[in-house]
Amino acid sequence: QVQLVESGGGLVQPGGSLRLSCAASGNIVSSRLMGWYRQAPGKQREPVATITSGGSTYYADSVLGRFTISGDNAKNTVYLQMNSLKPEDTAVYYCNMRGTGLNYWGQGTQVSVSS
């Protein structure tokens, strides 16, 4: 019914930047919240940033000031601009959509930060 496809991951040096995209398709009428989560090796999946249908945003303390979440309603797409990347940001990043009767996940995209 709903599909989420992430893109934009890759390998960058510390201090570099990446922009992730999450394109949604299907029946998304009841969507209320979209966000990015990440899971590093040996760690639990954790929220990174979220945005509501009204534009309110949340950021984890570890990324506040470095990452920016935004959305394009016309394209049904959510973005995560990641600046000043650190090795600790290395993880698989997942897009999530939630709402009334909705809780969907994308397949994930790998982000690696290494010198």
Side-chain angles (χ1 to χ4, degrees), residues 13-85:
Q13 294 183 332
S17 298
L18 284 173
R19 187 172 76 155
L20 306 183
S21 299
C22 174
S25 62
N27 187 2
I28 58 175
V29 175
S30 62
S31 177
R32 296 290 181 270
L33 181 73
M34 294 192 69
W36 291 93
Y37 291 68
R38 68 186 182 188
Q39 186 166 22
K43 303 293 184 180
Q44 294 184 336
R45 188 174 299 185
E46 62 180 2
V48 176
T50 62
I51 185 168
T52 68
S53 59
S56 298
T57 58
Y58 156 85
Y59 296 95
D61 289 343
S62 59
V63 307
L64 187 64
R66 300 188 297 120
F67 292 10
T68 303
I69 188 170
S70 62
D72 186 335
N73 291 330
K75 297 182 178 180
N76 293 322
T77 301
V78 173
Y79 306 95
L80 184 67
Q81 179 67 46
M82 304 185 294
N83 299 325
S84 301
L85 283 162

